[in-house]
Amino acid sequence: MDPLLLGLLVAVVTIIVLFSGVSVAIGLLIVSAGFLIVFDGMRSLELMPEILFGKLDNFALLSIPMFIIMGASIASTRAGADLYEALERWLTRVPGGLVISNLGACALFAAMSGSSPATCAAIGKMGIPEMRKRGYPDGVAAGSIAAGGTLGILIPPSVTMIVYGIATETSIGRLFLAGVIPGFLLVGLFMAWSLYSTWRSGDTARLGSGSYTWGQRFEILPRVLPFLAIILGVLYAMYGGIATPSETAAVGALLCLLIAMVIYKLWAPRAIWVVLRDSTKESVMILFIIAAAGVFSYMLSSLFITQSIAEWIGTLDVNRWVLMGAVNVFLLIAGFFLPPVAVILMAAPILLPIIITAGFDPIWFAVVLTINMEIGLISPPVGLNLYVINGIAPDISLKTILTGSLPYVACMVLAIILLCIFPGLATWLPNVVMGASV
C-alpha cells in the first residue's frame, strides 16, 4: 500500500480507537501492534517491549514526576487562596482589579502547579463567588478563570514543554524560556479584555475590591513569597548551570513539600499520602503515554509513513504560511478531543519533519502548539476547564461559561498571529540566555 494512503488509514483507525473510550496509551499500543502485525508480520512485535521500556530510559523523564509532586504539594494547601488574597489586597484601587487579581493568581498558581484543572479549582472557588458578589458579569467571572487556568502548560516550569522536549529531542531549558514572554503576553491580553469587559458593563466603582490597610497587604506576603522564591530558584539553578532540569525539579518538589508542611501545617500522614498517591497516578499516566507513543512513532517510521509525509510536504508548491495554517487547524481540532500530552506525543513525530522542512524553528513551534492546546482546554466538546468551572459554580450554565471564555480564545488566536509576525517573542529570550541555536 502507498505509505500516504497507509498514513491516512492509520489516522482514521487511531481516531476510531481513541473515541471508543480506551485510554490513550492502550489505544496507541493497540493501533501500533495491529498495523505492525498486518504489514510486518508477527516477528515485528518482538521489538515492542524493547521500544516501550527504552523510551522510558531517559534521565530527563525524572523531571515529570518531580514537577507533578511540586504542583500537587501546592494544590493540596491554601496556596491558591493566599495568592488570590494577596493580589486582591494589592490591586484593590484598580477598577476591575478583582478580575485582574484572579488572572494574576491563575498565572502564578499555574506556573507553580502546572495543572490547568487544579488552577481553575483553586482560584475559582474563591474568585468566582467574589467577582459575582461585586457585580461582575457571570461570563467574565467564569471565562477569566477558565482561560487563566490554561496558562499552566505555557508558563514554566511546564510538564507539557518537558514532554515536547523529550518527544522531539529539543532542549527543555530553551523550551521553558521560550514560554516566558508569550505567557506574559497572554496574561496581558487576558487582562486587557477583562478590563474592557468590566468598563463596558457599567458601574466600574462597584466592581472595585474592598479597602485594605498597608498592614493587611504586607501580612499575607510571607505565605506567598516562599513559593515564588522556589520558582525563581528552580529557574536560576537551571539556567545558571548549577543543575539539570531533573535535579532542579527534584529540589523544587522537596522544597514545595516542606513549605506545605511548615507554612500550611500539612503534617497529617494521610494528607501527605494523598499528595504522593495523586502525583504517582498522574506521573504513571503521562509516562505510559510517552512509552506507548514511542511504539506508535516506531510503527509510523517502520512503515515509512513519517518519511513519506515529510517528503510529500516538501514537494508541495505552497506558501509555508499556508502550510502552517493547515497545521494549526489540525492542532486545534486534535486539541478539542485529546489532552495536550497525547496530542504532542502523537503529532510530534509527524509534524516536526514538516515544520523543519518548511523552515520553521522547532522551539517557536512548541509555543504555537502549546497555545493551540490551551484553546482546546476551554473549547467543547472536551474542554476540561469548562466542566471544572461548571462544577465550582453549577448555577452558571455551561453555555454562559463557554460564551464567557470565547473572547479569551480570540486572545489566544491573536497571540498565535503575533508569534507568526514576531517569532522573536518566543526565540529571543532562549537565544539571549543560552546562546543562538545552531
Side-chain angles (χ1 to χ4, degrees):
M1 182 181 290
D2 181 76
L4 292 176
L5 291 177
L6 183 56
L8 180 61
L9 180 61
V10 169
V12 172
V13 172
T14 302
I15 292 171
I16 292 172
V17 170
L18 293 180
F19 280 13
S20 69
V22 301
S23 68
V24 173
I26 296 295
L28 292 178
L29 288 177
I30 291 172
V31 173
S32 302
F35 277 93
L36 284 173
I37 290 172
V38 171
F39 291 94
D40 275 354
M42 291 294 295
R43 289 184 61 85
S44 61
L45 297 184
E46 293 177 1
L47 289 173
M48 281 187 62
E50 182 180 344
I51 297 167
L52 188 73
F53 290 102
K55 194 67 179 177
L56 298 177
D57 186 18
N58 187 336
F59 182 68
L61 287 173
L62 181 62
S63 59
I64 292 178
M66 292 299 101
F67 277 127
I68 289 174
I69 290 175
M70 183 176 167
S73 303
I74 296 167
S76 62
T77 66
R78 274 185 49 84
D82 285 345
L83 277 172
Y84 166 77
E85 282 187 39
L87 288 171
E88 179 192 1
R89 293 182 187 187
W90 282 90
L91 295 172
T92 183
R93 299 295 183 186
V94 180
L98 190 58
V99 71
I100 292 180
S101 66
N102 274 280
L103 285 167
C106 281
L108 292 173
F109 191 86
M112 291 189 292
S113 70
S115 170
S116 292
T119 301
C120 287
I123 308 300
K125 284 176 183 176
M126 289 193 66
I128 292 176
E130 280 296 316
M131 282 193 283
R132 297 179 74 190
K133 186 169 68 176
R134 301 269 168 82
Y136 286 86
D138 286 351
V140 173
S144 60
I145 299 292
T150 67
L151 295 168
I153 64 174
L154 180 60
I155 298 176
S158 164
V159 171
T160 305
M161 288 292 196
I162 295 172
V163 171
Y164 178 92
I166 292 169
T168 61
E169 298 182 354
T170 307
S171 166
I172 294 173
R174 284 186 175 276
L175 291 171
F176 278 6
L177 286 172
V180 172
I181 295 177
F184 285 125
L185 171 65
L186 272 182
V187 174
L189 291 173
F190 289 172
M191 287 182 174
W193 168 256
S194 299
L195 281 176
Y196 171 74
S197 299
T198 300
W199 170 79
R200 192 180 60 176
S201 67
D203 190 359
T204 54
R206 188 164 62 91
L207 299 179
S209 300
S211 178
Y212 297 99
T213 65
W214 284 103
Q216 289 173 318
R217 292 175 180 175
F218 281 106
E219 71 177 2
I220 199 172
L221 292 183
R223 284 183 281 174
V224 175
L225 293 179
F227 288 114
L228 301 182
I230 287 176
I231 294 178
L232 294 176
V234 165
L235 296 178
Y236 174 77
M238 192 183 305
Y239 300 117
I242 300 172
T244 66
S246 298
E247 292 165 346
T248 53
V251 173
L254 177 61
L255 291 177
C256 279
L257 196 55
L258 289 175
I259 288 177
M261 295 169 69
V262 173
I263 296 180
Y264 294 97
K265 313 299 181 187
L266 193 71
W267 293 110
R270 180 172 179 81
I272 297 174
W273 165 251
V274 168
V275 170
L276 297 177
R277 181 199 66 195
D278 293 347
S279 300
T280 301
K281 284 183 178 179
E282 187 171 351
S283 300
V284 169
M285 177 195 71
I286 293 175
L287 292 173
F288 191 17
I289 294 175
I290 289 173
V295 177
F296 188 76
S297 299
Y298 167 76
M299 180 270 293
L300 294 176
S301 179
S302 178
L303 301 181
F304 296 98
I305 295 173
T306 306
Q307 301 93 316
S308 298
I309 292 176
E311 185 179 342
W312 175 67
I313 292 295
T315 61
L316 289 179
D317 187 21
V318 296
N319 185 282
R320 67 179 191 142
W321 291 108
V322 174
L323 178 63
M324 178 54 65
V327 168
N328 273 279
V329 170
F330 165 74
L331 292 173
L332 276 173
I333 295 173
F336 289 163
F337 299 98
L338 295 171
V341 170
V343 174
I344 289 170
L345 290 169
M346 289 172 58
I350 297 175
L351 294 181
L352 195 64
I354 298 172
I355 294 304
I356 294 174
T357 302
F360 291 106
D361 188 316
I363 299 290
W364 169 86
F365 178 66
V367 177
V368 173
L369 184 153
T370 302
I371 296 176
N372 273 291
M373 296 302 98
E374 288 185 303
I375 293 174
L377 289 171
I378 55 174
S379 303
V382 176
L384 182 58
N385 285 16
L386 302 178
Y387 297 103
V388 172
I389 297 297
N390 190 233
I392 295 170
D395 56 325
I396 301 180
S397 69
L398 201 58
K399 180 182 178 181
T400 301
I401 300 172
L402 174 59
T403 304
S405 67
L406 286 178
Y408 298 96
V409 170
C411 290
M412 294 179 187
V413 173
L414 176 58
I416 292 175
I417 294 172
L418 289 174
L419 280 165
C420 291
I421 299 173
F422 308 107
L425 291 170
T427 58
W428 176 78
L429 189 58
N431 289 340
V432 167
V433 176
M434 302 183 70
S437 58
V438 180

